[in-house]
Amino acid sequence: HVQLVESGGGSVQAGGSLRLSCAASGYIYRSKCMGWFRQAPGREREGVAAMYTGFGGGNIYYDDSVKGRFTISQDNSKNTLFLQMNGLKPEDTAMYFCAAARTVYAGDVLGKNQYEYWGQGTQVTVS
């Protein structure tokens, strides 16, 4: 059973930074993809950033809205995923979720339906 626990959310002023963390436990498949998604009230959940974290992985993907501002990374043990968010804007306000998948279709890495495991989310508010 895979468990994902996010942390690091909070309230910041526009232009500020936050770093989200996602601690993964349980059986982590060798070939996998992990990502960050967000959902604002009344809107669909959308992919923000994702990366292949398994053997031979490393490809990284960003939504256009966050390119140049957000950075996804993992620690050496590959059990913690991070999202460094700089230059935050009010439109970045949302609940942020960590997600993991055994495999994803390469043409839809940021598609929420590709992911099987989800954390409970951490709130990010930018004013």
Side-chain angles (χ1 to χ4, degrees), residues 3-6 22 45 96-100 117-122:
Q3 184 175 17
L4 304 173
V5 180
E6 304 95 335
C22 172
R45 189 170 297 187
Y96 283 71
F97 299 89
C98 175
Y117 306 104
W118 293 86
Q120 293 300 306
T122 185

Side-chain angles (χ1 to χ4, degrees), residues 27-38:
Y27 180 60
I28 303 296
Y29 298 98
R30 289 182 60 82
S31 298
K32 65 185 186 292
C33 189
M34 295 187 72
W36 289 97
F37 293 75
R38 66 187 179 186

Side-chain angles (χ1 to χ4, degrees), residues 48-60:
V48 174
M51 66 185 299
Y52 285 98
T53 54
F55 178 77
N59 288 352
I60 293 176

Side-chain angles (χ1 to χ4, degrees), residues 73-93:
S73 64
Q74 63 181 17
D75 72 356
N76 291 336
S77 71
K78 300 187 178 182
N79 282 338
T80 304
L81 188 74
F82 302 102
L83 185 68
Q84 178 67 43
M85 305 186 295
N86 299 327
L88 283 161
K89 304 175 181 180
E91 51 263 43
D92 294 319
T93 295

